[in-house]
Amino acid sequence: MALMLVATAAAHFAPSDTGVMPGHDDLTAMVPPFVPFPGAVVHVTGVLELLGAAGLVLTSTRPAAGLGLAVLFVLLLPANVHAAVEGIPLGDDPAVPLWFRVPEQLLYIGLALWTATAAGAAGLRRRRAAVRPGGDGPATAHR
């Protein structure tokens, strides 16, 4: 997921005429009209995706990154709905239909939440194992 986020975040800063992937102007067109400063919002979401990707790589920050990304993906849902309803293409590709966009976004939200909970549960298990009596953790110092 971190690699996907780095690739998608790059599109937030890339010129739209590269032909390889959608660029900044393509993503700005997806922003619903009620959102102010759409160009700046696209840059900010690109930075947030990069921060989320970095957070997923580090075990200690993975739960927070997963939760943050889930929130980000929920906040991006109106842009995906707007792009589908208005028929806004991504680069040279035709507009992605709503029936595909919404489940895809829900998948990303689910993956981010799974990452957060799985990483959080693993960290909790490690902390519990470290403090068990007879283990090598802080509980052994109290003998």
PDB file of all heavy atoms in Angstrom, residues 31-66:
ATOM      1  N   VAL A  31     -11.741  17.811  -8.057  1.00  0.00           N
ATOM      2  CA  VAL A  31     -12.143  18.435  -6.793  1.00  0.00           C
ATOM      3  C   VAL A  31     -13.528  19.053  -6.968  1.00  0.00           C
ATOM      4  O   VAL A  31     -13.756  19.833  -7.888  1.00  0.00           O
ATOM      5  CB  VAL A  31     -11.109  19.495  -6.356  1.00  0.00           C
ATOM      6  CG1 VAL A  31     -11.546  20.190  -5.073  1.00  0.00           C
ATOM      7  CG2 VAL A  31      -9.737  18.851  -6.185  1.00  0.00           C
ATOM      8  N   PRO A  32     -14.461  18.722  -6.077  1.00  0.00           N
ATOM      9  CA  PRO A  32     -15.814  19.282  -6.184  1.00  0.00           C
ATOM     10  C   PRO A  32     -15.798  20.809  -6.061  1.00  0.00           C
ATOM     11  O   PRO A  32     -14.925  21.372  -5.396  1.00  0.00           O
ATOM     12  CB  PRO A  32     -16.566  18.659  -5.001  1.00  0.00           C
ATOM     13  CG  PRO A  32     -15.760  17.482  -4.592  1.00  0.00           C
ATOM     14  CD  PRO A  32     -14.343  17.779  -4.965  1.00  0.00           C
ATOM     15  N   PRO A  33     -16.758  21.473  -6.691  1.00  0.00           N
ATOM     16  CA  PRO A  33     -16.772  22.940  -6.690  1.00  0.00           C
ATOM     17  C   PRO A  33     -16.896  23.578  -5.301  1.00  0.00           C
ATOM     18  O   PRO A  33     -16.491  24.721  -5.119  1.00  0.00           O
ATOM     19  CB  PRO A  33     -17.994  23.301  -7.533  1.00  0.00           C
ATOM     20  CG  PRO A  33     -18.497  22.052  -8.126  1.00  0.00           C
ATOM     21  CD  PRO A  33     -17.813  20.900  -7.488  1.00  0.00           C
ATOM     22  N   PHE A  34     -17.423  22.862  -4.319  1.00  0.00           N
ATOM     23  CA  PHE A  34     -17.585  23.453  -2.989  1.00  0.00           C
ATOM     24  C   PHE A  34     -16.271  23.515  -2.205  1.00  0.00           C
ATOM     25  O   PHE A  34     -16.205  24.127  -1.139  1.00  0.00           O
ATOM     26  CB  PHE A  34     -18.658  22.718  -2.176  1.00  0.00           C
ATOM     27  CG  PHE A  34     -18.335  21.287  -1.856  1.00  0.00           C
ATOM     28  CD1 PHE A  34     -17.539  20.946  -0.770  1.00  0.00           C
ATOM     29  CD2 PHE A  34     -18.838  20.268  -2.653  1.00  0.00           C
ATOM     30  CE1 PHE A  34     -17.248  19.621  -0.471  1.00  0.00           C
ATOM     31  CE2 PHE A  34     -18.560  18.933  -2.372  1.00  0.00           C
ATOM     32  CZ  PHE A  34     -17.759  18.613  -1.274  1.00  0.00           C
ATOM     33  N   VAL A  35     -15.208  22.894  -2.709  1.00  0.00           N
ATOM     34  CA  VAL A  35     -13.914  22.892  -2.020  1.00  0.00           C
ATOM     35  C   VAL A  35     -13.099  24.090  -2.508  1.00  0.00           C
ATOM     36  O   VAL A  35     -12.838  24.208  -3.700  1.00  0.00           O
ATOM     37  CB  VAL A  35     -13.149  21.576  -2.280  1.00  0.00           C
ATOM     38  CG1 VAL A  35     -11.768  21.613  -1.641  1.00  0.00           C
ATOM     39  CG2 VAL A  35     -13.950  20.389  -1.782  1.00  0.00           C
ATOM     40  N   PRO A  36     -12.697  24.993  -1.587  1.00  0.00           N
ATOM     41  CA  PRO A  36     -11.900  26.150  -2.014  1.00  0.00           C
ATOM     42  C   PRO A  36     -10.459  25.760  -2.336  1.00  0.00           C
ATOM     43  O   PRO A  36      -9.952  24.763  -1.820  1.00  0.00           O
ATOM     44  CB  PRO A  36     -11.953  27.080  -0.795  1.00  0.00           C
ATOM     45  CG  PRO A  36     -12.206  26.176   0.365  1.00  0.00           C
ATOM     46  CD  PRO A  36     -12.998  25.001  -0.163  1.00  0.00           C
ATOM     47  N   PHE A  37      -9.831  26.543  -3.183  1.00  0.00           N
ATOM     48  CA  PHE A  37      -8.419  26.374  -3.541  1.00  0.00           C
ATOM     49  C   PHE A  37      -8.102  24.944  -3.986  1.00  0.00           C
ATOM     50  O   PHE A  37      -7.239  24.265  -3.396  1.00  0.00           O
ATOM     51  CB  PHE A  37      -7.507  26.773  -2.373  1.00  0.00           C
ATOM     52  CG  PHE A  37      -7.835  28.118  -1.789  1.00  0.00           C
ATOM     53  CD1 PHE A  37      -8.416  28.213  -0.536  1.00  0.00           C
ATOM     54  CD2 PHE A  37      -7.572  29.280  -2.505  1.00  0.00           C
ATOM     55  CE1 PHE A  37      -8.731  29.440   0.011  1.00  0.00           C
ATOM     56  CE2 PHE A  37      -7.884  30.517  -1.969  1.00  0.00           C
ATOM     57  CZ  PHE A  37      -8.467  30.605  -0.699  1.00  0.00           C
ATOM     58  N   PRO A  38      -8.756  24.473  -5.045  1.00  0.00           N
ATOM     59  CA  PRO A  38      -8.572  23.063  -5.439  1.00  0.00           C
ATOM     60  C   PRO A  38      -7.131  22.686  -5.777  1.00  0.00           C
ATOM     61  O   PRO A  38      -6.696  21.580  -5.442  1.00  0.00           O
ATOM     62  CB  PRO A  38      -9.487  22.900  -6.656  1.00  0.00           C
ATOM     63  CG  PRO A  38      -9.836  24.277  -7.089  1.00  0.00           C
ATOM     64  CD  PRO A  38      -9.661  25.183  -5.915  1.00  0.00           C
ATOM     65  N   GLY A  39      -6.367  23.569  -6.385  1.00  0.00           N
ATOM     66  CA  GLY A  39      -4.973  23.251  -6.704  1.00  0.00           C
ATOM     67  C   GLY A  39      -4.153  23.021  -5.454  1.00  0.00           C
ATOM     68  O   GLY A  39      -3.345  22.082  -5.379  1.00  0.00           O
ATOM     69  N   ALA A  40      -4.357  23.870  -4.457  1.00  0.00           N
ATOM     70  CA  ALA A  40      -3.636  23.716  -3.193  1.00  0.00           C
ATOM     71  C   ALA A  40      -4.089  22.457  -2.468  1.00  0.00           C
ATOM     72  O   ALA A  40      -3.270  21.754  -1.866  1.00  0.00           O
ATOM     73  CB  ALA A  40      -3.858  24.944  -2.308  1.00  0.00           C
ATOM     74  N   VAL A  41      -5.383  22.146  -2.538  1.00  0.00           N
ATOM     75  CA  VAL A  41      -5.903  20.941  -1.886  1.00  0.00           C
ATOM     76  C   VAL A  41      -5.260  19.696  -2.499  1.00  0.00           C
ATOM     77  O   VAL A  41      -4.909  18.758  -1.782  1.00  0.00           O
ATOM     78  CB  VAL A  41      -7.446  20.889  -1.975  1.00  0.00           C
ATOM     79  CG1 VAL A  41      -7.986  19.527  -1.571  1.00  0.00           C
ATOM     80  CG2 VAL A  41      -8.053  21.988  -1.120  1.00  0.00           C
ATOM     81  N   VAL A  42      -5.075  19.698  -3.801  1.00  0.00           N
ATOM     82  CA  VAL A  42      -4.425  18.556  -4.461  1.00  0.00           C
ATOM     83  C   VAL A  42      -2.988  18.412  -3.965  1.00  0.00           C
ATOM     84  O   VAL A  42      -2.534  17.294  -3.680  1.00  0.00           O
ATOM     85  CB  VAL A  42      -4.491  18.700  -6.001  1.00  0.00           C
ATOM     86  CG1 VAL A  42      -3.586  17.686  -6.692  1.00  0.00           C
ATOM     87  CG2 VAL A  42      -5.927  18.545  -6.478  1.00  0.00           C
ATOM     88  N   HIS A  43      -2.273  19.523  -3.823  1.00  0.00           N
ATOM     89  CA  HIS A  43      -0.906  19.443  -3.290  1.00  0.00           C
ATOM     90  C   HIS A  43      -0.896  18.929  -1.854  1.00  0.00           C
ATOM     91  O   HIS A  43      -0.082  18.073  -1.492  1.00  0.00           O
ATOM     92  CB  HIS A  43      -0.212  20.814  -3.354  1.00  0.00           C
ATOM     93  CG  HIS A  43       0.251  21.175  -4.715  1.00  0.00           C
ATOM     94  ND1 HIS A  43      -0.052  22.363  -5.322  1.00  0.00           N
ATOM     95  CD2 HIS A  43       1.011  20.492  -5.607  1.00  0.00           C
ATOM     96  CE1 HIS A  43       0.494  22.412  -6.522  1.00  0.00           C
ATOM     97  NE2 HIS A  43       1.144  21.279  -6.716  1.00  0.00           N
ATOM     98  N   VAL A  44      -1.807  19.434  -1.032  1.00  0.00           N
ATOM     99  CA  VAL A  44      -1.858  19.000   0.375  1.00  0.00           C
ATOM    100  C   VAL A  44      -2.169  17.511   0.466  1.00  0.00           C
ATOM    101  O   VAL A  44      -1.541  16.779   1.244  1.00  0.00           O
ATOM    102  CB  VAL A  44      -2.888  19.838   1.161  1.00  0.00           C
ATOM    103  CG1 VAL A  44      -3.177  19.232   2.525  1.00  0.00           C
ATOM    104  CG2 VAL A  44      -2.397  21.274   1.310  1.00  0.00           C
ATOM    105  N   THR A  45      -3.128  17.033  -0.329  1.00  0.00           N
ATOM    106  CA  THR A  45      -3.454  15.602  -0.268  1.00  0.00           C
ATOM    107  C   THR A  45      -2.291  14.750  -0.763  1.00  0.00           C
ATOM    108  O   THR A  45      -2.074  13.644  -0.270  1.00  0.00           O
ATOM    109  CB  THR A  45      -4.746  15.272  -1.040  1.00  0.00           C
ATOM    110  OG1 THR A  45      -4.621  15.710  -2.400  1.00  0.00           O
ATOM    111  CG2 THR A  45      -5.962  15.931  -0.400  1.00  0.00           C
ATOM    112  N   GLY A  46      -1.525  15.263  -1.708  1.00  0.00           N
ATOM    113  CA  GLY A  46      -0.330  14.545  -2.151  1.00  0.00           C
ATOM    114  C   GLY A  46       0.691  14.418  -1.035  1.00  0.00           C
ATOM    115  O   GLY A  46       1.276  13.351  -0.820  1.00  0.00           O
ATOM    116  N   VAL A  47       0.890  15.497  -0.284  1.00  0.00           N
ATOM    117  CA  VAL A  47       1.812  15.458   0.861  1.00  0.00           C
ATOM    118  C   VAL A  47       1.291  14.482   1.911  1.00  0.00           C
ATOM    119  O   VAL A  47       2.056  13.684   2.473  1.00  0.00           O
ATOM    120  CB  VAL A  47       1.998  16.872   1.462  1.00  0.00           C
ATOM    121  CG1 VAL A  47       2.722  16.818   2.794  1.00  0.00           C
ATOM    122  CG2 VAL A  47       2.743  17.768   0.481  1.00  0.00           C
ATOM    123  N   LEU A  48      -0.021  14.511   2.171  1.00  0.00           N
ATOM    124  CA  LEU A  48      -0.597  13.594   3.165  1.00  0.00           C
ATOM    125  C   LEU A  48      -0.431  12.134   2.737  1.00  0.00           C
ATOM    126  O   LEU A  48      -0.179  11.265   3.577  1.00  0.00           O
ATOM    127  CB  LEU A  48      -2.068  13.928   3.402  1.00  0.00           C
ATOM    128  CG  LEU A  48      -2.327  15.257   4.112  1.00  0.00           C
ATOM    129  CD1 LEU A  48      -3.815  15.561   4.145  1.00  0.00           C
ATOM    130  CD2 LEU A  48      -1.729  15.258   5.498  1.00  0.00           C
ATOM    131  N   GLU A  49      -0.560  11.858   1.441  1.00  0.00           N
ATOM    132  CA  GLU A  49      -0.347  10.490   0.963  1.00  0.00           C
ATOM    133  C   GLU A  49       1.106  10.070   1.161  1.00  0.00           C
ATOM    134  O   GLU A  49       1.375   8.925   1.547  1.00  0.00           O
ATOM    135  CB  GLU A  49      -0.761  10.360  -0.505  1.00  0.00           C
ATOM    136  CG  GLU A  49      -2.259  10.392  -0.709  1.00  0.00           C
ATOM    137  CD  GLU A  49      -2.672  10.192  -2.156  1.00  0.00           C
ATOM    138  OE1 GLU A  49      -1.812   9.836  -2.995  1.00  0.00           O
ATOM    139  OE2 GLU A  49      -3.863  10.394  -2.442  1.00  0.00           O
ATOM    140  N   LEU A  50       2.044  10.972   0.906  1.00  0.00           N
ATOM    141  CA  LEU A  50       3.456  10.646   1.122  1.00  0.00           C
ATOM    142  C   LEU A  50       3.744  10.409   2.601  1.00  0.00           C
ATOM    143  O   LEU A  50       4.467   9.467   2.958  1.00  0.00           O
ATOM    144  CB  LEU A  50       4.348  11.769   0.590  1.00  0.00           C
ATOM    145  CG  LEU A  50       4.436  11.876  -0.924  1.00  0.00           C
ATOM    146  CD1 LEU A  50       5.173  13.161  -1.327  1.00  0.00           C
ATOM    147  CD2 LEU A  50       5.117  10.660  -1.519  1.00  0.00           C
ATOM    148  N   LEU A  51       3.183  11.245   3.468  1.00  0.00           N
ATOM    149  CA  LEU A  51       3.364  11.044   4.907  1.00  0.00           C
ATOM    150  C   LEU A  51       2.736   9.723   5.355  1.00  0.00           C
ATOM    151  O   LEU A  51       3.307   9.007   6.178  1.00  0.00           O
ATOM    152  CB  LEU A  51       2.759  12.212   5.693  1.00  0.00           C
ATOM    153  CG  LEU A  51       3.492  13.545   5.568  1.00  0.00           C
ATOM    154  CD1 LEU A  51       2.681  14.657   6.229  1.00  0.00           C
ATOM    155  CD2 LEU A  51       4.884  13.443   6.167  1.00  0.00           C
ATOM    156  N   GLY A  52       1.573   9.401   4.801  1.00  0.00           N
ATOM    157  CA  GLY A  52       0.928   8.132   5.130  1.00  0.00           C
ATOM    158  C   GLY A  52       1.764   6.948   4.687  1.00  0.00           C
ATOM    159  O   GLY A  52       1.895   5.957   5.418  1.00  0.00           O
ATOM    160  N   ALA A  53       2.354   7.047   3.505  1.00  0.00           N
ATOM    161  CA  ALA A  53       3.215   5.964   3.013  1.00  0.00           C
ATOM    162  C   ALA A  53       4.416   5.775   3.932  1.00  0.00           C
ATOM    163  O   ALA A  53       4.761   4.649   4.293  1.00  0.00           O
ATOM    164  CB  ALA A  53       3.679   6.270   1.589  1.00  0.00           C
ATOM    165  N   ALA A  54       5.037   6.876   4.329  1.00  0.00           N
ATOM    166  CA  ALA A  54       6.181   6.783   5.245  1.00  0.00           C
ATOM    167  C   ALA A  54       5.745   6.195   6.583  1.00  0.00           C
ATOM    168  O   ALA A  54       6.451   5.373   7.175  1.00  0.00           O
ATOM    169  CB  ALA A  54       6.799   8.166   5.449  1.00  0.00           C
ATOM    170  N   GLY A  55       4.575   6.597   7.051  1.00  0.00           N
ATOM    171  CA  GLY A  55       4.071   6.076   8.318  1.00  0.00           C
ATOM    172  C   GLY A  55       3.778   4.593   8.280  1.00  0.00           C
ATOM    173  O   GLY A  55       3.935   3.893   9.285  1.00  0.00           O
ATOM    174  N   LEU A  56       3.372   4.091   7.129  1.00  0.00           N
ATOM    175  CA  LEU A  56       3.100   2.656   6.996  1.00  0.00           C
ATOM    176  C   LEU A  56       4.379   1.829   7.040  1.00  0.00           C
ATOM    177  O   LEU A  56       4.358   0.678   7.481  1.00  0.00           O
ATOM    178  CB  LEU A  56       2.351   2.360   5.697  1.00  0.00           C
ATOM    179  CG  LEU A  56       0.909   2.837   5.620  1.00  0.00           C
ATOM    180  CD1 LEU A  56       0.342   2.556   4.237  1.00  0.00           C
ATOM    181  CD2 LEU A  56       0.046   2.199   6.693  1.00  0.00           C
ATOM    182  N   VAL A  57       5.474   2.405   6.588  1.00  0.00           N
ATOM    183  CA  VAL A  57       6.737   1.673   6.543  1.00  0.00           C
ATOM    184  C   VAL A  57       7.309   1.472   7.948  1.00  0.00           C
ATOM    185  O   VAL A  57       7.881   0.427   8.240  1.00  0.00           O
ATOM    186  CB  VAL A  57       7.744   2.414   5.630  1.00  0.00           C
ATOM    187  CG1 VAL A  57       9.120   1.783   5.703  1.00  0.00           C
ATOM    188  CG2 VAL A  57       7.242   2.409   4.190  1.00  0.00           C
ATOM    189  N   LEU A  58       7.124   2.443   8.805  1.00  0.00           N
ATOM    190  CA  LEU A  58       7.659   2.360  10.165  1.00  0.00           C
ATOM    191  C   LEU A  58       6.666   1.656  11.078  1.00  0.00           C
ATOM    192  O   LEU A  58       5.515   2.074  11.194  1.00  0.00           O
ATOM    193  CB  LEU A  58       7.954   3.763  10.706  1.00  0.00           C
ATOM    194  CG  LEU A  58       8.937   4.592   9.876  1.00  0.00           C
ATOM    195  CD1 LEU A  58       8.978   6.019  10.388  1.00  0.00           C
ATOM    196  CD2 LEU A  58      10.315   3.961   9.915  1.00  0.00           C
ATOM    197  N   THR A  59       7.100   0.602  11.717  1.00  0.00           N
ATOM    198  CA  THR A  59       6.210  -0.186  12.579  1.00  0.00           C
ATOM    199  C   THR A  59       5.594   0.658  13.683  1.00  0.00           C
ATOM    200  O   THR A  59       4.412   0.514  13.988  1.00  0.00           O
ATOM    201  CB  THR A  59       6.989  -1.367  13.198  1.00  0.00           C
ATOM    202  OG1 THR A  59       7.614  -2.100  12.145  1.00  0.00           O
ATOM    203  CG2 THR A  59       6.074  -2.276  13.975  1.00  0.00           C
ATOM    204  N   SER A  60       6.371   1.534  14.271  1.00  0.00           N
ATOM    205  CA  SER A  60       5.872   2.316  15.406  1.00  0.00           C
ATOM    206  C   SER A  60       4.777   3.309  15.010  1.00  0.00           C
ATOM    207  O   SER A  60       3.955   3.680  15.835  1.00  0.00           O
ATOM    208  CB  SER A  60       7.022   3.056  16.084  1.00  0.00           C
ATOM    209  OG  SER A  60       7.615   3.968  15.187  1.00  0.00           O
ATOM    210  N   THR A  61       4.763   3.744  13.760  1.00  0.00           N
ATOM    211  CA  THR A  61       3.772   4.725  13.316  1.00  0.00           C
ATOM    212  C   THR A  61       2.662   4.113  12.463  1.00  0.00           C
ATOM    213  O   THR A  61       1.744   4.816  12.044  1.00  0.00           O
ATOM    214  CB  THR A  61       4.448   5.858  12.528  1.00  0.00           C
ATOM    215  OG1 THR A  61       5.161   5.286  11.413  1.00  0.00           O
ATOM    216  CG2 THR A  61       5.408   6.647  13.400  1.00  0.00           C
ATOM    217  N   ARG A  62       2.754   2.822  12.207  1.00  0.00           N
ATOM    218  CA  ARG A  62       1.790   2.171  11.313  1.00  0.00           C
ATOM    219  C   ARG A  62       0.333   2.302  11.765  1.00  0.00           C
ATOM    220  O   ARG A  62      -0.532   2.613  10.942  1.00  0.00           O
ATOM    221  CB  ARG A  62       2.174   0.710  11.109  1.00  0.00           C
ATOM    222  CG  ARG A  62       1.493   0.070   9.919  1.00  0.00           C
ATOM    223  CD  ARG A  62       2.093  -1.282   9.606  1.00  0.00           C
ATOM    224  NE  ARG A  62       3.483  -1.127   9.206  1.00  0.00           N
ATOM    225  CZ  ARG A  62       4.427  -2.041   9.408  1.00  0.00           C
ATOM    226  NH1 ARG A  62       4.139  -3.164  10.025  1.00  0.00           N
ATOM    227  NH2 ARG A  62       5.653  -1.827   9.012  1.00  0.00           N
ATOM    228  N   PRO A  63       0.010   2.099  13.048  1.00  0.00           N
ATOM    229  CA  PRO A  63      -1.398   2.249  13.443  1.00  0.00           C
ATOM    230  C   PRO A  63      -1.939   3.664  13.199  1.00  0.00           C
ATOM    231  O   PRO A  63      -3.028   3.832  12.659  1.00  0.00           O
ATOM    232  CB  PRO A  63      -1.406   1.908  14.926  1.00  0.00           C
ATOM    233  CG  PRO A  63      -0.201   1.057  15.133  1.00  0.00           C
ATOM    234  CD  PRO A  63       0.813   1.575  14.155  1.00  0.00           C
ATOM    235  N   ALA A  64      -1.164   4.674  13.565  1.00  0.00           N
ATOM    236  CA  ALA A  64      -1.602   6.056  13.361  1.00  0.00           C
ATOM    237  C   ALA A  64      -1.697   6.375  11.870  1.00  0.00           C
ATOM    238  O   ALA A  64      -2.634   7.054  11.429  1.00  0.00           O
ATOM    239  CB  ALA A  64      -0.649   7.021  14.050  1.00  0.00           C
ATOM    240  N   ALA A  65      -0.748   5.887  11.090  1.00  0.00           N
ATOM    241  CA  ALA A  65      -0.780   6.131   9.647  1.00  0.00           C
ATOM    242  C   ALA A  65      -1.997   5.474   9.017  1.00  0.00           C
ATOM    243  O   ALA A  65      -2.664   6.073   8.165  1.00  0.00           O
ATOM    244  CB  ALA A  65       0.507   5.605   8.998  1.00  0.00           C
ATOM    245  N   GLY A  66      -2.301   4.252   9.429  1.00  0.00           N
ATOM    246  CA  GLY A  66      -3.477   3.571   8.892  1.00  0.00           C
ATOM    247  C   GLY A  66      -4.752   4.324   9.193  1.00  0.00           C
ATOM    248  O   GLY A  66      -5.611   4.486   8.316  1.00  0.00           O
TER     249      GLY A  66
END
